[in-house]
Amino acid sequence: MIDTSQNLPPRLAEGGLRVVALGGIGEVGRNMTVFEYDGRLLIVDCGVLFPEDQQPGVDLILPDFRAIEDRLEDIDGIVLTHGHEDHIGAVPFLLRLRADVPVIGSRFTLALLAAKCREHRQDPVLVEVTERERRSAGPFDLEFFAVNHSIPDALAVAIRTPAGLVLHTGDIKLDQLPLDGRLTDLGGFSQLGDEGVDLFLVDSTNAEVPGFVTPEREIGPVIDNVIARATQRVIVACFASHVHRVQQVLDVAVKHGRRVAFVGRSMVRNMGIAGELGLLNMPENLLIDLNDAMELPENEVLFVSTGSQGEPLSALSRMARGEHRQISIRPGDTVVLASSLIPGNETAVFGVVNGLARLGAHVVHQGNAKVHVSGHASAGELLFLYNAVRPSNVMPVHGEWRHLRANAALAIATGVAESQVVLAEDGVVVDLVDGIARIVGRVEVGHVYVDGLSVGDVGESTLSDRLILGEGGFISITVAVEASTGRAVTPPTISGRGFSDDPKALDAVVSLVEMELSRTEAEGITDTHRIAQIVRRVVGRWVAEKYRRRPMIVPTVIPV
Amino acid sequence: MIDTSQNLPPRLAEGGLRVVALGGIGEVGRNMTVFEYDGRLLIVDCGVLFPEDQQPGVDLILPDFRAIEDRLEDIDGIVLTHGHEDHIGAVPFLLRLRADVPVIGSRFTLALLAAKCREHRQDPVLVEVTERERRSAGPFDLEFFAVNHSIPDALAVAIRTPAGLVLHTGDIKLDQLPLDGRLTDLGGFSQLGDEGVDLFLVDSTNAEVPGFVTPEREIGPVIDNVIARATQRVIVACFASHVHRVQQVLDVAVKHGRRVAFVGRSMVRNMGIAGELGLLNMPENLLIDLNDAMELPENEVLFVSTGSQGEPLSALSRMARGEHRQISIRPGDTVVLASSLIPGNETAVFGVVNGLARLGAHVVHQGNAKVHVSGHASAGELLFLYNAVRPSNVMPVHGEWRHLRANAALAIATGVAESQVVLAEDGVVVDLVDGIARIVGRVEVGHVYVDGLSVGDVGESTLSDRLILGEGGFISITVAVEASTGRAVTPPTISGRGFSDDPKALDAVVSLVEMELSRTEAEGITDTHRIAQIVRRVVGRWVAEKYRRRPMIVPTVIPV
């Protein structure tokens, strides 16, 4: 179904709409979709991706902006569907390229973005919108619809241009008993369906999962049940943006006469914002400062903490290692991880769970109690969406290939023609022309890495070196040679890092290198690069034979 | 409950039995328990652990043999409960220390061990036993009981000494409809219970999971259903030792008129052994060589392959990357991962699933169909075990802390006194004296790493260097100085690997280093170590400030 050739996209046909994801298709994270009409651009979401094993040392992965770098002035706006990092995290990096792009989103989403931008010392142009509001950005006529997700105030966006009507769900689920009563606007979607949706971009995250997501409000009684039995301290960890999850924890705390302290920078910050916006309901005096909380009897306090993904520097990880400055876990304490287990984080999360269990805590997590529900529509809910919207063309977004394929199958099951389901990935150019969506080419996209303060200087070659170094360390051989003769003027200095704990591990290779250097001298080789190459080969062969390992071999030949 | 002090264990009381796990408690893998009575030793299992992120470059992790290294002649036997790597994989490394330790196990277990030892050019002393057989090894009177697990011919072992009766389950579950009709011998356990079990060592792996494991035979119809609808090639990946899983796949293949080719070295080897021992039932001519299979029509062949854990060099991973020499995946092919998803392997496994999905394959896995059941008893089954055995003392084994605690809770729920549940971890010494099991001390245990050809030379310091190198690479600075004056005779050679793709990334630090070298010369510093230290500090500070990164800084100062 997908043309994997690297053909450059043709000129967009007049009156057509172009869609290119610069991130978020073929992967989960760094969502960013660019729409083009009549020479103007609209961006929906601009998020980050968190690195995996194969990207060691990387802090964040950004969408690849190259395709729009020369067209910054054509951008009429960035629509943010909601405030999760994988939808807003890369905005400051885009604003570095052009500071005054209007950022359009709901109140809570923009509040989270503003806090993030303050950390980057940016003051973006914010355009607040709300559900069922209509507003244009250049030639794009936008309409917003309430959707339910694991963060408040999420929106789907309908984009009308003369090319047709596009609906982008953002992240979505169909909780029919949402805590805040704010349902996904299936009625609105249905009206759009009546009008005729030409292209439907749909969240694929849970398309493989059959059935329906359990309502968020069913978590409350489970947590209640756990806390009712707790006689000592209780710590609940969850995502710092999951206001409704935290709300339920607060309600339970009130019920059991426990005061609440927020632990962890992002938890304190986000709950502050949520409180200011009236998204958290609680009695006055429920909240207490962490230091004051330490003075309360153990059964009168509850900590709501970050660290549910096993982040090594988080408060919870520190507690699990017995290294938290204030909170030390005692046998009989209760810890609840009211959170998902993001693939890739298992080892870290279970490391925390085991650390807590070793210290004697009673640890409740997704694996032994229903303390988490997903924020993304399962297959059953996606069917409701397709049947409400009745789209002509479908483009699964937000997902790895397994998710995209599963989502495509659901669209087809509801009657969308297989030929009108566009399976794209990052960089694939999809044009909607005369009501038909088709893949027409590709733009180049890659991973853009943030490591420390700089963006983009760490690339595939650096990562590939890191992977080699991380697996096998390196052996360095340094020798000074007489520039004119190539004669070694010092014995070779050979040392390894990350190679062996045995200080004599490399002793045997010294004489081999010396022999080789005598040979190069005898042959009159004076080119230091060539000598270095020869040394590299000798040491590499020796280590492969003797140890069957592949450290990086780093020869340095200095002419003196 | 656990004394974490490092106190050396006292002398074992006369008539007492000592139990020390050198691996497998507090972790999942490298199971090895040492029993001591009257100066003699019995070992139960001797397996390997597969490394995680924090042990980069390591091939295998062995139990720590130090506690028995000086007592090799005291060992009366190694009992192997079954043939999985985490129970037998370290035997060749123990046999390197003493080649003639009798290895006691069931027929299939010993056949797998023998194949492994042949690869190590070893010819161990094998003692074949079968269920309900009684046999002594030194002062240890052993009795074996059939248990059901995800590999045929697994055994539990009862160990009688004058100190009391110990029962070790090995890995166990209670499938009541096992494919081979070989039930876990609950009746035998019950008889032991009547006799009085003083210490019960129990598999904890699934103690957190409520309920019961679905019978293995329910996998067959699911696979049948998948293959019935396949019109092209079918590839089923599963563990190479899971004979009953493979048996069900073979049965389905026969039903649908497909011939079967085994793919992957360990699959071919193990199924050969299983076939020879009569553990696989199939019509003659079902099996076909891989090359011949490629000539058959696509709907007349089925491949049973290794690679279900996403191992990068496995056949399945190669197929997913489009790099397998013979099998290239085409849209419409069906791939079944009839296997567990071992924590830590998620990224690799989903990488394979996505690669296959991208190529258009229909991928069936644990996440979207019931194509796997666990080999370990869930909580419900463990209750049956405790109620049959009615032990005086319990010691949960085979598990991380979360599993051990959950297993302890089950024991207590069936009436075992909380004080008689011994929560130990590797190295903790438990003595059974006068019918009471108690923690009396600790022996030193660590991780013993196999990397390439050598064992033990890669230790924590090498791994810590690898982690630093893997995260940030290194910057090397080489300079030759005049030995007598400390004057730099060459400009410093500065280069980075795994640091940046930008060739100019380090340019700015050269002059800083030169300035510093002028300073050290002016101060009359000639000690090369001290010069190196100073250079390291300058470069380290610069890189932290400019990049906010922490590469390894490797200065080499050569005196000429």
Side-chain angles (χ1 to χ4, degrees):
Chain A
M1 279 191 233
I2 174 170
D3 177 358
T4 55
S5 67
Q6 296 290 327
N7 54 315
L8 280 178
R11 212 187 147 75
L12 173 58
E14 194 157 341
L17 178 80
R18 176 159 287 182
V19 188
V20 188
L22 301 184
I25 316 193
E27 64 193 352
V28 172
R30 61 165 187 158
N31 296 289
M32 179 171 182
T33 313
V34 180
F35 295 87
E36 176 175 3
Y37 181 80
D38 195 21
R40 305 299 300 172
L41 304 177
L42 178 78
I43 294 169
V44 175
D45 291 326
C46 187
V48 293
L49 172 67
F50 294 98
E52 296 191 339
D53 302 353
Q54 294 304 300
Q55 290 127 353
V58 169
D59 300 324
L60 294 173
I61 305 172
L62 306 181
D64 189 336
F65 298 150
R66 276 178 295 172
I68 55 166
E69 243 168 21
D70 297 333
R71 301 189 55 190
L72 297 167
E73 292 309 319
D74 298 340
I75 303 171
D76 286 315
I78 309 173
V79 171
L80 301 180
T81 57
H82 63 282
H84 280 149
E85 285 298 320
D86 57 334
H87 291 256
I88 72 169
V91 171
F93 297 92
L94 187 61
L95 294 181
R96 282 191 199 173
L97 304 182
R98 188 187 139 199
D100 66 346
V101 184
V103 184
I104 305 159
S106 69
R107 204 168 164 213
F108 186 57
T109 304
L110 293 185
L112 292 177
L113 180 78
K116 170 176 294 297
C117 286
R118 270 195 296 279
E119 291 170 5
H120 286 258
R121 302 210 184 88
Q122 292 177 333
D123 184 18
V125 179
L126 302 178
V127 181
E128 190 179 311
V129 293
T130 187
E131 44 261 42
R132 290 285 182 133
E133 183 171 342
R134 229 164 142 158
R135 169 181 293 268
S136 40
F140 305 96
D141 173 7
L142 310 176
E143 187 176 10
F144 300 92
F145 294 86
V147 301
N148 172 245
H149 183 44
S150 48
I151 188 170
D153 224 8
L155 294 171
V157 58
I159 305 165
R160 290 180 179 86
T161 63
L165 170 53
V166 176
L167 177 60
H168 192 314
T169 62
D171 285 357
I172 193 170
K173 65 172 174 173
L174 300 184
D175 190 337
Q176 293 304 294
L177 297 167
L179 221 65
D180 58 1
R182 188 172 172 275
L183 290 156
T184 289
D185 189 355
L186 212 51
F189 287 179
S190 183
Q191 286 166 29
L192 290 177
D194 294 341
E195 184 182 337
V197 171
D198 296 289
L199 179 61
F200 189 29
L201 292 90
V202 190
D203 179 4
S204 307
T205 313
N206 271 344
E208 279 192 314
V209 181
F212 293 79
V213 178
T214 303
E216 172 67 28
R217 65 172 66 220
E218 294 192 14
I219 304 291
V222 179
I223 294 176
D224 187 352
N225 197 11
V226 170
I227 293 177
R229 284 180 293 171
T231 55
Q232 296 175 202
R233 271 200 212 131
V234 176
I235 296 142
V236 181
C238 71
F239 275 113
S241 60
H242 204 324
V243 176
H244 294 157
R245 189 70 45 86
V246 172
Q247 178 69 62
Q248 298 194 85
V249 176
L250 298 186
D251 293 346
V252 172
V254 170
K255 180 173 166 193
H256 295 287
R258 286 176 183 260
R259 297 190 68 186
V260 173
F262 291 125
V263 186
R265 199 176 57 88
S266 57
M267 185 64 78
V268 172
R269 188 193 74 176
N270 290 357
M271 292 308 133
I273 294 172
E276 280 165 29
L277 299 190
L279 295 169
L280 269 182
N281 303 307
M282 64 186 116
E284 270 182 57
N285 292 327
L286 177 67
L287 295 186
I288 184 170
D289 177 80
L290 180 55
N291 287 318
D292 297 335
M294 301 311 294
E295 307 297 318
L296 287 178
E298 297 205 331
N299 62 349
E300 292 180 16
V301 66
L302 185 152
F303 301 94
V304 177
S305 167
T306 54
S308 64
Q309 294 304 311
E311 303 89 333
L313 301 180
S314 68
L316 196 65
S317 285
R318 289 182 206 273
M319 293 179 211
R321 292 193 302 266
E323 290 170 5
H324 193 272
R325 212 158 43 86
Q326 286 141 310
I327 306 174
S328 52
I329 298 293
R330 284 193 273 268
D333 284 351
T334 301
V335 181
V336 183
L337 276 77
S339 52
S340 67
L341 188 47
I342 295 179
N345 295 351
E346 292 82 0
T347 311
V349 172
F350 287 126
V352 169
V353 171
N354 285 318
L356 295 166
R358 189 174 187 282
L359 295 170
H362 171 49
V363 189
V364 179
H365 57 84
Q366 210 196 169
N368 57 22
K370 189 76 185 171
V371 289
H372 174 71
V373 298
S374 172
H376 299 271
S378 288
E381 288 154 85
L382 291 170
L383 293 174
F384 272 85
L385 287 179
Y386 285 119
N387 287 328
V389 175
R390 292 149 287 151
S392 325
N393 300 276
V394 166
M395 185 169 158
V397 295
H398 304 175
E400 302 167 3
W401 270 93
R402 60 195 176 105
H403 308 122
L404 304 177
R405 290 230 177 253
N407 203 355
L410 295 171
I412 293 163
T414 62
V416 180
E418 186 168 348
S419 59
Q420 294 322 114
V421 179
V422 181
L423 279 168
E425 59 187 354
D426 294 346
V428 167
V429 177
V430 177
D431 283 358
L432 176 67
V433 178
D434 298 333
I436 307 286
R438 273 193 317 136
I439 292 175
V440 298
R442 253 173 199 270
V443 296
E444 228 182 304
V445 289
H447 286 104
V448 177
Y449 303 113
V450 180
D451 183 358
L453 290 180
S454 59
V455 179
D457 79 305
V458 168
E460 300 308 329
S461 129
T462 295
L463 292 187
S464 131
D465 279 352
R466 285 184 187 172
L467 290 170
I468 292 167
L469 289 166
E471 288 282 299
F474 71 89
I475 296 173
S476 73
I477 311 99
T478 309
V479 63
V481 300
E482 204 169 60
S484 54
T485 61
R487 184 179 61 84
V489 298
T490 58
T493 305
I494 299 186
S495 68
R497 294 300 292 270
F499 178 72
S500 176
D501 278 21
D502 177 2
K504 296 176 191 292
L506 300 173
D507 284 2
V509 79
V510 177
S511 59
L512 276 183
V513 173
E514 281 177 331
M515 266 166 51
E516 202 62 18
L517 288 171
S518 308
R519 199 183 60 75
T520 57
E521 184 196 346
E523 290 183 12
I525 300 173
T526 57
D527 177 46
T528 54
H529 287 288
R530 203 161 146 219
I531 298 172
Q533 248 178 3
I534 290 166
V535 168
R536 174 185 290 122
R537 207 169 47 218
V538 171
V539 177
R541 269 193 204 150
W542 174 82
V543 77
E545 253 173 50
K546 179 166 161 74
Y547 287 95
R548 210 173 289 164
R549 295 186 199 159
R550 299 176 146 282
M552 187 181 280
I553 312 289
V554 189
T556 309
V557 180
I558 318 179
V560 289
Chain B
M1 276 191 234
I2 173 170
D3 177 357
T4 54
S5 67
Q6 296 290 327
N7 55 316
L8 279 178
R11 212 186 147 77
L12 173 58
E14 195 157 338
L17 178 80
R18 176 159 286 182
V19 188
V20 187
L22 300 185
I25 316 193
E27 64 193 352
V28 172
R30 61 166 189 157
N31 297 289
M32 178 170 182
T33 313
V34 180
F35 295 86
E36 176 175 5
Y37 181 80
D38 195 21
R40 305 298 301 172
L41 304 178
L42 177 79
I43 294 168
V44 175
D45 291 326
C46 186
V48 293
L49 171 67
F50 294 98
E52 296 190 342
D53 302 354
Q54 294 305 300
Q55 291 127 351
V58 169
D59 300 325
L60 293 173
I61 304 173
L62 307 182
D64 189 336
F65 297 150
R66 276 178 295 171
I68 55 166
E69 243 169 21
D70 297 333
R71 301 190 54 191
L72 297 168
E73 291 310 318
D74 298 339
I75 303 171
D76 285 315
I78 308 173
V79 172
L80 300 181
T81 58
H82 62 281
H84 280 150
E85 285 299 320
D86 56 335
H87 291 256
I88 72 169
V91 171
F93 297 92
L94 187 61
L95 295 180
R96 282 191 198 173
L97 304 182
R98 188 186 139 199
D100 65 347
V101 183
V103 184
I104 304 160
S106 69
R107 203 167 164 214
F108 186 56
T109 305
L110 293 184
L112 291 178
L113 180 78
K116 170 177 294 295
C117 286
R118 269 194 297 278
E119 290 170 4
H120 286 258
R121 302 210 182 88
Q122 292 176 333
D123 184 18
V125 179
L126 302 179
V127 181
E128 189 179 312
V129 293
T130 186
E131 43 261 41
R132 291 286 182 131
E133 184 172 341
R134 229 164 141 157
R135 168 179 294 267
S136 38
F140 305 96
D141 173 7
L142 310 177
E143 188 176 11
F144 299 92
F145 294 86
V147 301
N148 173 245
H149 183 43
S150 49
I151 189 170
D153 225 7
L155 294 171
V157 58
I159 305 165
R160 290 180 179 85
T161 63
L165 170 53
V166 176
L167 177 60
H168 191 315
T169 62
D171 285 357
I172 192 170
K173 66 173 173 173
L174 300 183
D175 190 338
Q176 294 302 295
L177 296 167
L179 221 66
D180 59 1
R182 187 172 172 276
L183 291 155
T184 289
D185 189 355
L186 212 51
F189 287 179
S190 183
Q191 286 167 28
L192 290 177
D194 293 343
E195 184 181 336
V197 171
D198 296 289
L199 179 60
F200 189 30
L201 292 90
V202 190
D203 179 4
S204 308
T205 315
N206 271 346
E208 279 193 313
V209 182
F212 294 79
V213 178
T214 303
E216 172 67 27
R217 66 171 66 220
E218 293 191 16
I219 304 291
V222 179
I223 293 177
D224 186 352
N225 196 12
V226 170
I227 294 177
R229 284 180 295 172
T231 54
Q232 296 175 203
R233 271 198 212 134
V234 176
I235 296 142
V236 182
C238 71
F239 275 114
S241 59
H242 204 324
V243 176
H244 295 158
R245 189 70 45 86
V246 172
Q247 178 70 60
Q248 298 195 85
V249 176
L250 298 185
D251 294 346
V252 172
V254 170
K255 180 173 165 194
H256 294 288
R258 287 176 183 259
R259 296 189 70 185
V260 173
F262 290 125
V263 186
R265 200 176 56 88
S266 57
M267 185 64 77
V268 171
R269 189 194 75 175
N270 290 359
M271 291 309 133
I273 294 171
E276 280 165 29
L277 300 191
L279 295 170
L280 268 183
N281 302 308
M282 64 187 115
E284 271 181 56
N285 291 327
L286 176 67
L287 295 185
I288 184 170
D289 178 80
L290 179 54
N291 287 318
D292 297 337
M294 300 311 293
E295 307 295 319
L296 288 178
E298 297 203 330
N299 61 350
E300 292 180 16
V301 65
L302 184 152
F303 302 94
V304 177
S305 168
T306 55
S308 63
Q309 293 304 311
E311 303 90 333
L313 300 179
S314 68
L316 196 67
S317 285
R318 288 181 206 275
M319 293 179 213
R321 292 193 302 265
E323 291 171 4
H324 193 272
R325 212 158 43 85
Q326 286 142 310
I327 305 173
S328 51
I329 299 292
R330 282 192 274 270
D333 284 351
T334 300
V335 181
V336 184
L337 276 78
S339 52
S340 67
L341 188 47
I342 296 179
N345 295 351
E346 292 82 358
T347 312
V349 171
F350 287 127
V352 168
V353 171
N354 284 319
L356 295 166
R358 190 175 187 282
L359 294 170
H362 171 50
V363 188
V364 178
H365 56 86
Q366 212 195 167
N368 58 22
K370 189 76 185 171
V371 289
H372 174 71
V373 298
S374 172
H376 299 271
S378 287
E381 290 154 82
L382 291 170
L383 293 174
F384 271 85
L385 287 178
Y386 285 119
N387 287 329
V389 174
R390 293 150 286 152
S392 325
N393 299 278
V394 166
M395 185 169 159
V397 295
H398 304 175
E400 302 167 4
W401 271 93
R402 60 195 176 106
H403 308 123
L404 304 176
R405 289 233 177 251
N407 203 356
L410 295 171
I412 292 164
T414 62
V416 180
E418 188 169 344
S419 59
Q420 294 323 114
V421 178
V422 181
L423 278 170
E425 59 187 354
D426 295 347
V428 168
V429 177
V430 178
D431 284 359
L432 176 67
V433 177
D434 298 331
I436 307 285
R438 275 191 319 135
I439 292 175
V440 298
R442 252 174 201 271
V443 296
E444 226 182 305
V445 288
H447 285 105
V448 178
Y449 302 114
V450 181
D451 182 359
L453 291 180
S454 58
V455 180
D457 80 305
V458 168
E460 301 307 329
S461 129
T462 295
L463 292 188
S464 131
D465 279 352
R466 285 185 187 172
L467 290 171
I468 292 167
L469 289 166
E471 288 283 299
F474 71 89
I475 295 174
S476 73
I477 311 100
T478 309
V479 62
V481 300
E482 204 170 60
S484 54
T485 62
R487 184 179 61 87
V489 299
T490 58
T493 305
I494 298 187
S495 68
R497 293 300 293 270
F499 178 71
S500 175
D501 278 21
D502 177 1
K504 295 176 191 293
L506 300 173
D507 285 2
V509 80
V510 176
S511 58
L512 276 183
V513 173
E514 282 176 334
M515 266 165 51
E516 201 63 19
L517 288 170
S518 307
R519 199 182 60 76
T520 58
E521 185 195 347
E523 291 183 11
I525 299 172
T526 57
D527 177 45
T528 54
H529 286 290
R530 201 158 150 224
I531 298 172
Q533 248 177 3
I534 291 166
V535 167
R536 175 185 289 120
R537 207 168 46 218
V538 171
V539 178
R541 271 192 203 152
W542 173 82
V543 78
E545 253 174 50
K546 181 167 159 76
Y547 287 95
R548 209 173 289 163
R549 295 187 198 159
R550 299 177 146 282
M552 186 180 280
I553 312 289
V554 188
T556 308
V557 180
I558 319 178
V560 290

